[in-house]
Structure formats: structure tokens, C-alpha cells
Amino acid sequence: MPARIPNAGLSRRDLLKRTGGLAALAAFTAACGGNTGRPSSSGGGGGSKVTLSQWYHQYGEAGTKEAALKYAKAYTDSNVAVTWVPGDYGAKLASGLLSSNGPDVFESQLNVAMVKSGQVVPLDDILGDAKADFNPNDLKTNTVDGKLYGIKMIDDPQVFYYRKSMFSKAGIKPPETIDDLIAAAKTLTTDKVKGIFIGNDGGNICGGPALWSSGGQYLTDDNKPDFNNARAAQAFSKLHQFFADKSVLLGAPADWWDPGAFVQGLAAIQWTGLWAMPAIQKALGDDFGVFAYPKLDAQGKQALPSGGWTQFVSAKSANIDAAKKFVKWLWVDNAEDQEDWNLNYGFHIPPRKSLAAKATKLQTGAAAEVVKLNQDFGVVDRPAWTPKMATGFTDLLNNVIRKGADPTGELAKLDKTVNTELARLFG
């Protein structure tokens, strides 16, 4: 299980929201934190270097902390003090961003509230010609009102993994539509193996992909709801079908982000992230393949979420220019360390297209297929999609998938919640 997921009760994408975007929302009301652990700065007087504080959440992938310290030590224009934040990173970041004793540079995910409350500064000026080399989705998810506020550090796409041998024995091909996937899961289900594992809650993690596969999205480019329609309702009803068919695995020893259920043969198909591929490959060799969430129908499209972490500069920093210069050095110019960070401790895609294209570990087999799927069908978070909206969406999925509620009525409730939030954010 990757430590980029600190709470098993949330989906990975919800979790990223709550450890990143939620920090910005909480900052509207949270009290200022006390000692955040930030070192004092020399302020640059007398020709001495400033000291920048860089915050990371506590990764569990071996070597990540040592790598972060190595990068900081290698930077010569400023002193960089790395703070490795254990526990509830989102809450601690929320307090830190309110205070001048918080981080100069930090990782999170962008939420429009971070911009409206003046917590982050635009970073357009540090990209230069490198902008064209970044995955367009990684720019899109970090842009508000035409300004770029964060530099993506890693891309974490999610896909379906399937056992080739089980598919071959059953005479099944990788599904092209969601109905194909429903039929495959039902066929592959036996008294010993379930056809599919999409999380112990029955499939909430696939709510976003289901919507996107119908052609819908959370919000349009001009921040209008784009889900309250018959096609989205149909897409969510398909998720209920796995539960109704009893082809979905429930109560696995570990949740969807851990490949244990798949490699132990508890399910023939599992939804999880690229980060799980090394463990799957070690256990199964070549007996697996990957595919994106299938399209709803001929009018739909394949889809997969492309999450990850992003680097920001705090507007409260006393050394904004120095902080921006460091971010440029590490996450724009320093290709060697970017590849090191993505592929030598975990298994992720570098946001720089040129790095993804040449990274040896991503050039062949299923890894190369995930890179292509991410480029063609990856969908990123909308900065205006708030935690309250995400909670409403989770409520919809719980009611539809497990309880068999009418998706049309649930979508109407969500539409009301989202429009109320949008009115709060944008007047």
C-alpha cells in the first residue's frame, strides 16, 4: 500500500482533495498553528543565503525522505530545510498556510479556495519554454482564471488490471464497453474467485470514471455542473449492476489501492494504480494486462483518473522569489531528479512528456500501455470541485451502488449541492 494514501476510508482522489484542497478551505476558519517546525531564515542580509522551508507529507515508499533531503542539499542558491510532516498533513498544512511560520514551498493539490484566499502565488513565469513539455492535463488541473499556481511532481493514473490466463480460459477479451465488463465479471465469478474488485465499498472509486465514460464531467471549463442527465444516471446504474450480480469482491484484506486481492487470486479484475504494477509483475510475471474504464456505449469514451502531487509556493513566504527559483530548479529544470523521484522509490509517470517518453521503466509492456492510456484518456481534478461537492458525490455513489437508489433522484440532490457551492465560490 503506498503511503500516499493515509486514510483507508476515502477514495484516493477524495483523499488527495482532503489532504490538499481541503487544507485551503479549512484555512478560512482554522486557528493559526503554533510551532510548525519551520527553521528561522537569515532573510538574506549581508550576502548570506535565505533558508526555505519545504513541506512534504509522510511518504511510505522507501527512500523518499532521503531523496527529498538529497535534492535540498544539492541546491546551492538557498538553504532548503525539509519538513517531513507525519499524521494529518491536510490539517497541519491548513494551519501552516495561515501563518508566516508555515512553509515557503509545499506539496498539495490545487483548490480554487487556495487562490481566492491568497494562499498561493502564480508560477507561470518559471515554466518558460518547458511549458510545452508538460502533460496538458497537469497544467489544466493547476490553473485558475488563466494563471498557473502549481508544478506537478508526479502523475498517478488508475486502471483495471486483469488476469490474462483467466480471460483466455473463459474465452473473454478485454472489454470495450461497460456492458462487456459487467458480463466478463459475471462470467469470471466462481465459488472461489470474484470477477472484479473495485474497492470494499463496492465501487465508489469508479464513480468519476463512470461519469466520464458517459461523456460527462464534474464541471465544465466555465465551472457549470455537467452530470445531471440521463447518460450519467445510466453510467451510475451500471456500477450497481456489479453489486446486484454479486460479481464484485467485498471485504478484501486490503482496499483497492493495494494489489493484494488481485495477486492472491481473489478477483480476476481489479481497479488500482500504476504504483501497484511492480508488485503485480513480481507476483504474476506476464499474466496480467491493463485497460481503462470502458466507454458507456458507442457514444461514450474510455476514461481513467490521473491524480498525483503538485508543488506550490506559499503567498505568506518572506522569500517568494527565492522559493520560486528553487521550485524551478527542482521541478522544471532538474530532469534527473524528477525521473529519480517518480521511478526509483515508487512507480509513477513524470509530468514532463520528454521524461515519460524516455524513462526505461515505462517503455515496454503494461507500463507503456498505462502511459499511453493516461495521455489519451486521463482526466484530472477541477480546482473548483470542492470537498463538499466530493462528499455529495460520495453520498450519491453509496446510495446507488449499495442501496440501489434511483440515480436520477440522487443526481438532482448533487446538482443542488454543487450549485450552492458554486454560488458561494463565484457569487
Side-chain angles (χ1 to χ4, degrees):
M1 169 180 167
R4 287 183 168 121
I5 311 210
N7 186 327
L10 301 172
S11 77
R12 185 177 178 88
R13 293 176 71 77
D14 284 345
L15 225 160
L16 294 182
K17 282 294 189 186
R18 296 189 182 200
T19 56
L22 184 57
L25 295 177
F28 284 119
T29 55
C32 291
N35 181 7
T36 62
R38 179 184 177 185
S40 60
S41 170
S42 68
S48 61
K49 296 178 183 178
V50 301
T51 296
L52 300 175
S53 172
Q54 183 184 26
W55 282 22
Y56 292 85
H57 80 287
Q58 185 174 5
Y59 290 74
E61 294 159 328
T64 48
K65 183 176 182 180
E66 291 76 12
L69 292 169
K70 177 181 69 175
Y71 307 151
K73 185 177 181 180
Y75 187 63
T76 57
D77 288 352
S78 298
N79 298 312
V80 180
V82 171
T83 299
W84 207 248
V85 182
D88 190 343
Y89 180 72
K92 294 175 182 178
L93 180 62
S95 295
L97 292 178
L98 283 171
S99 169
S100 57
N101 291 322
D104 298 287
V105 177
F106 64 95
E107 62 176 8
S108 187
Q109 290 76 37
L110 185 66
N111 190 286
V112 69
M114 297 167 71
V115 176
K116 288 187 170 293
S117 59
Q119 293 181 331
V120 290
V121 299
L123 301 178
D124 303 85
D125 56 331
I126 72 173
L127 275 186
D129 294 339
K131 182 174 183 178
D133 192 37
F134 275 83
N135 185 316
N137 271 343
D138 293 333
L139 301 175
K140 182 178 183 179
T141 193
N142 288 305
T143 298
V144 172
D145 293 334
K147 294 181 179 180
L148 182 75
Y149 287 91
I151 307 298
K152 199 78 178 287
M153 302 158 60
I154 63 172
D155 283 348
D156 260 347
Q158 300 161 26
V159 294
F160 279 116
Y161 291 76
Y162 71 96
R163 290 290 295 271
K164 289 182 176 180
S165 58
M166 292 184 183
F167 269 53
S168 178
K169 185 177 180 179
I172 298 172
K173 296 180 179 179
E176 295 184 5
T177 68
I178 189 63
D179 284 337
D180 293 340
L181 180 58
I182 290 170
K186 191 172 183 179
T187 298
L188 292 162
T189 296
T190 69
D191 58 348
K192 296 181 179 180
V193 178
K194 286 292 187 179
I196 192 167
F197 180 47
I198 43 181
N200 282 328
D201 56 17
N204 285 8
I205 189 60
C206 288
L211 173 62
W212 306 326
S213 78
S214 74
Q217 50 190 327
Y218 295 130
L219 299 171
T220 61
D221 289 342
D222 58 349
N223 293 319
K224 305 294 183 185
D226 190 29
F227 52 77
N228 192 8
N229 55 67
R231 287 184 61 77
Q234 182 184 8
F236 295 130
S237 70
K238 300 292 185 182
L239 284 176
H240 171 67
Q241 193 61 47
F242 294 111
F243 187 78
D245 288 345
K246 298 182 179 180
S247 62
V248 64
L249 175 66
L250 301 172
D255 217 328
W256 65 271
W257 52 72
D258 188 300
F262 185 65
V263 300
Q264 293 169 29
L266 302 179
I269 306 167
Q270 180 178 334
W271 181 267
T272 189
L274 175 64
W275 59 82
M277 189 173 291
I280 291 172
Q281 203 157 29
K282 182 178 180 180
L284 302 178
D286 294 330
D287 187 21
F288 75 95
V290 296
F291 58 90
Y293 193 94
K295 57 188 178 182
L296 175 63
D297 50 29
Q299 288 72 49
K301 59 183 179 180
Q302 299 176 67
L304 67 152
S306 185
W309 290 89
T310 296
Q311 194 92 148
F312 299 92
V313 171
S314 171
K316 288 276 190 178
S317 171
N319 301 292
I320 287 176
D321 288 342
K324 289 169 66 174
K325 189 175 181 181
F326 170 63
V327 170
K328 182 178 187 299
W329 172 81
L330 181 55
W331 299 114
V332 178
D333 299 335
N334 196 341
E336 182 178 348
D337 286 343
Q338 291 167 38
E339 184 172 346
D340 179 63
W341 182 248
N342 277 269
L343 290 163
N344 286 343
Y345 313 103
F347 203 63
H348 316 280
I349 302 175
R352 296 287 294 270
K353 292 183 290 185
S354 61
L355 295 182
K358 76 177 185 66
T360 303
K361 295 179 181 180
L362 300 176
Q363 296 310 297
T364 59
E369 180 64 17
V370 175
V371 172
K372 187 176 188 307
L373 290 172
N374 187 59
Q375 291 172 347
D376 294 344
F377 304 112
V379 181
V380 292
D381 287 324
R382 297 282 187 172
W385 188 255
T386 68
K388 189 169 185 178
M389 296 177 191
T391 297
F393 188 57
T394 299
D395 291 342
L396 176 153
L397 295 170
N398 285 333
N399 291 334
V400 172
I401 294 173
R402 298 290 292 266
K403 301 176 183 177
D406 174 18
T408 302
E410 297 298 318
L411 283 166
K413 295 177 189 175
L414 179 62
D415 190 67
K416 183 177 180 180
T417 297
V418 170
N419 277 305
T420 299
E421 276 286 272
L422 290 171
R424 179 184 66 81
L425 288 171
F426 302 108

